[in-house]
Structures are given as C-alpha cells and as structure tokens.
Amino acid sequence: MEWLARYDEVIAFVVSLLGIAEGQRPLVLPYLYYGLPALAVLILMILVVVLVRAIAGRKRRKARETALPPAEEPAPPGEGAPLVVPEPPSSMIDRMRAGLAKTRGIFVGRLDDLLRGGGGIGDALWEELEEILIGSDIGMKTSLELREVLQGRSAQGEIRDPAGLRKALMEEIERRLSCCEAPLDFSAAAPFVIMVIGVNGVGKTTTIGKLAWQLTHQQGKKVLLGACDTFRAAAAEQLAIWAERSGAGIVSHGPGADPAGVAFDTLKAALARRTDVVILDTAGRLHTKVNLMEEVKKIRRVVGREVPGAPHETLLVLDATLGQNSLIQARLFNEAVDVSGLVLTKLDGTARGGMIVAVGGELGIPVRYVGVGEKIEDLRAFDPHAFVQALFENP
C-alpha cells in the first residue's frame, strides 16, 4: 500500500539521519517502526487535553464575569450617589400587626361588619358579638364575661354607639391581659434559672435559642444552656447549634442520661463561671404522662437544692395555632408543675391569636413572650397594649 511504502521511506530517512550503523539497524528498526506512531499518538493526546482545559478555563472566566455585577463608576464630585437610608428595625406594633393579620381578618373583620350593620345596640348584636368572640378562640368563659361586662357598661350609658362598643371591647381585652403583665427580672437571682417545658413541636428549642440570643446580644448577659432533653434524638445537637449561634455556653450529656443530672451539672458550671442566666431545656412531654411530669418535678427539686428559689421561672411554651387545645395544655401543666410564665409561638401563622385573651383571662398566668415570625429577633416580650392595638387597628 502506498501509505505503508511512504512510512518505510520515513523510517529509512530517520535511520540515516541518526547515523545508525548497518549492524545495529536490525535491532533499532522495530523500535522506530512501532515507537514513532505511539509517540505521535501520545503527543496528540497531550495537545487535545491542553486544548480542552484552555476552552474550559475560558468558559469559567466568562461565566464569572457574567455573574458579577458591573462595577459602578464613582460619581463625579458634586454629584454624589443617591443616599441609601437603612431600613429602621420594625417596632413591636408593626411586627405584631403583621403576625396577627390572620386573626385580625377573622375576628376584627367580622366584628367591624357587625358594628357597621346599623342595627343599633340590642339583643341581636350581643348574641352575634358572643358568637364572634367564641369563634375567635377567646374561649367560652372569657367570651361570656366580656359580653356581661360590656352589657353592664352599656346599661350605665358608657356605650352609646358601635364605635363606643368597639373601644370598650379593646379596653376590656387589654385590662384582662394587663392584670397578669409582669416582665422578668433577670437580676433577681444569680444565676437566674429558667426551666422551659411543653409538648413536642411547639418550638421550645427555637424559643430557648432566640431568648439566649436576646440576653447575650441585647442585654449583655452571660447565658448557659442545659440540654436536659436526653430523650429525643438530636435534641442536644440542635440546642448546641443555637448555643453557638447565640454565643451562650452549653452543658450536655449523652443520649439517655439522667435529665436531673444534666441540670445539676449545668448549675454547678453556672456557679463556677459566674453565669447570669441558666436556661434548662426539657424533653417534650405530654401533660398526661405521669412519669414524664414526675421527671420535671425531679429537675425542679435538684435545681432548688443547688440554687435557692430555683427555678425562678418555669416557662410553658404553647403553639398558638392549636387555639383552645393550647389553653387545655396550659391548664393541665399548671396543675402539675406551677407554671409561672407562658410563651406563645407561631402567632404569625394562625387565625387563632384570640387564645391569648383566653389564657390571660382564665388562667391568670402572665404571657412573657410571643413569637411573631421566624427571624431571631421575632421573639418579642409581650406587651398587652401593643397586642390590642395591632389586633384592632388596620395598618
């Protein structure tokens, strides 16, 4: 074949070019005959790899240039760029108003429709008002009490028109919530010990993390968390993440450890480190489980021996989306474990925000904090006036 003859000529030329003696050519020719093609293929492969890498690098650089925003040229002197004013942090009323949007739509929306009906203040209005209050998860007892008080004020001439009735209802709701308003005094003890209880899924660990963040970043407190939930898988790991995020310390044992033992070690560490606030996370337990409730009582006894008066606050975390079921939980927990404060979470995702009125009116337990969003700063100290204003006033 012609190409093979040409290849033989190339091999002969290379042999003559290298000056290989006639006696050595039989030994060298096989290496040249088969080695040259292999060398050519190797060089070709190297060239292909280099070319592919160069093309890929060019594409990556082009993609980065496309993703980056174009650099802005500095404004000429005297023509300053537009002033960007940072958005101020939202107020308590603004956050509450946003969080209570669903409740306001169900409760206040129906109330305003009733008051705009033009039928005057009479028996029919009182009946419909009672139905609206009960339907808004304010509770049967509190709804009947509110109706009775408002009717009494109307009979005395204090309420003469629908606008006056609306204002009087706002006042009565705020009065019921204010009667048990009592902010926590973290300087009352050193360390100030908080035990957090509640059923699974209400947001206990998240509440602890947000509260720890507020205490460390906004109040300059030294906080130590105790991972007393040794029953639920990954509970300690989740609390450790919140501890790192909030800048708090943490004491944790392995899964299945004695919760009271964790509480004991936490208080020992708090005393040694001169900690300001200790927050004990407990296992999510049903209020109907006797053995689990006994475990909480054991923790209380242990911490009471180590720090006089501890726990200084027993916070029960409730899910506001459960409405009257949360009220039942609060009542039963309070019977078993002397609850001293409440945290209501997920107010921004429910139309049952009226249950706060029922809790305050029926149990007399102060609402310490409310959760009005997912951000770390959305755990807010409860303000009855801000709550009523956000519930009844439109944005």
Side-chain angles (χ1 to χ4, degrees):
M1 296 188 309
E2 184 178 353
W3 66 269
L4 188 58
R6 295 288 183 99
Y7 184 65
D8 290 337
E9 293 176 1
V10 171
I11 294 296
F13 174 76
V14 171
V15 169
S16 61
L17 184 65
L18 295 175
I20 300 174
E22 288 290 339
Q24 295 178 343
R25 288 184 179 183
L27 298 175
V28 176
L29 281 177
Y31 293 101
L32 289 176
Y33 199 87
Y34 297 106
L36 283 178
L39 181 62
V41 171
L42 179 61
I43 294 174
L44 180 61
M45 290 177 63
I46 293 174
L47 291 175
V48 170
V49 170
V50 171
L51 182 62
V52 168
R53 288 189 174 182
I55 294 175
R58 185 179 301 174
K59 288 183 178 180
R60 284 195 298 269
R61 288 193 298 272
K62 186 175 181 180
R64 285 197 299 267
E65 292 173 358
T66 303
L68 291 173
E72 295 183 359
E73 296 182 0
E79 298 182 10
L83 179 62
V84 178
V85 180
E87 183 180 351
S90 57
S91 67
M92 175 64 178
I93 292 182
D94 290 336
R95 293 300 302 157
M96 289 287 286
R97 183 181 290 118
L100 292 171
K102 293 183 179 180
T103 301
R104 185 168 55 250
I106 297 296
F107 172 41
V108 181
R110 292 180 61 194
L111 175 65
D112 289 342
D113 289 342
L114 171 64
L115 298 179
R116 284 194 297 262
I121 299 178
D123 292 340
L125 182 140
W126 296 118
E127 291 293 335
E128 290 190 45
L129 176 61
E130 181 182 318
E131 291 181 7
I132 291 173
L133 293 174
I134 295 174
S136 302
D137 275 273
I138 290 180
M140 177 70 74
K141 182 176 182 246
T142 305
S143 297
L144 293 176
E145 290 177 352
L146 285 171
R147 172 181 171 172
E148 182 179 349
V149 171
L150 293 172
Q151 280 185 303
R153 293 181 60 174
S154 177
Q156 294 174 4
E158 296 182 29
I159 301 174
R160 293 185 173 87
D161 52 35
L165 176 58
R166 191 180 195 274
K167 181 181 178 183
L169 179 59
M170 293 174 63
E171 293 171 351
E172 291 300 325
I173 290 177
E174 184 173 343
R175 184 176 65 83
R176 277 165 171 72
L177 294 175
S178 299
C179 70
C180 55
E181 179 186 10
L184 290 177
D185 181 11
F186 295 103
S187 62
F192 189 89
V193 182
I194 303 173
M195 185 169 68
V196 183
I197 61 176
V199 301
N200 282 325
V202 296
K204 286 195 314 301
T205 304
T206 301
T207 297
I208 291 171
K210 291 180 178 180
L211 179 57
W213 183 88
Q214 290 185 13
L215 292 172
T216 55
H217 289 77
Q218 297 180 354
Q219 300 186 32
K221 301 290 186 182
K222 189 175 182 180
V223 180
L224 182 63
L225 307 182
C228 299
D229 183 358
T230 59
F231 179 75
R232 183 172 62 90
E237 288 80 358
Q238 292 177 4
L239 193 65
I241 293 173
W242 273 110
E244 181 179 0
R245 187 177 180 187
S246 63
I250 185 172
V251 173
S252 175
H253 291 183
D258 180 17
V262 179
F264 176 83
D265 289 346
T266 302
L267 291 182
K268 284 294 186 183
L271 292 170
R273 303 176 192 178
R274 299 182 181 275
T275 300
D276 298 314
V277 181
V278 173
I279 307 178
L280 301 176
D281 184 20
T282 62
R285 64 201 71 243
L286 294 174
H287 45 276
T288 54
K289 298 293 185 181
V290 176
N291 57 331
L292 294 178
M293 297 304 290
E294 289 299 322
E295 182 181 287
V296 173
K297 295 177 182 179
K298 181 180 177 183
I299 294 175
R300 290 176 62 90
R301 291 194 299 270
V302 168
V303 299
R305 286 197 301 264
E306 296 305 311
V307 178
H312 306 99
E313 181 74 10
T314 301
L315 284 179
L316 172 62
V317 182
L318 299 174
D319 183 346
T321 63
L322 300 180
Q324 289 298 298
N325 287 334
S326 288
L327 177 61
I328 296 172
Q329 287 180 20
R331 185 180 293 112
L332 294 175
F333 265 108
N334 192 41
E335 292 174 357
V337 185
D338 191 22
V339 176
S340 56
L342 301 175
V343 179
L344 297 175
T345 63
K346 308 177 187 179
L347 268 180
D348 57 316
T350 181
R352 298 178 171 182
M355 57 87 60
I356 296 181
V357 183
V359 169
E362 295 187 26
L363 300 181
I365 302 175
V367 179
R368 305 292 194 188
Y369 296 94
V370 290
V372 292
E374 296 181 355
K375 296 180 180 178
I376 198 168
E377 65 272 15
D378 284 340
L379 180 69
R380 302 295 181 99
F382 182 63
D383 181 345
H385 179 71
F387 173 80
V388 173
Q389 294 300 314
L391 181 61
F392 279 85
E393 292 185 4
N394 295 323

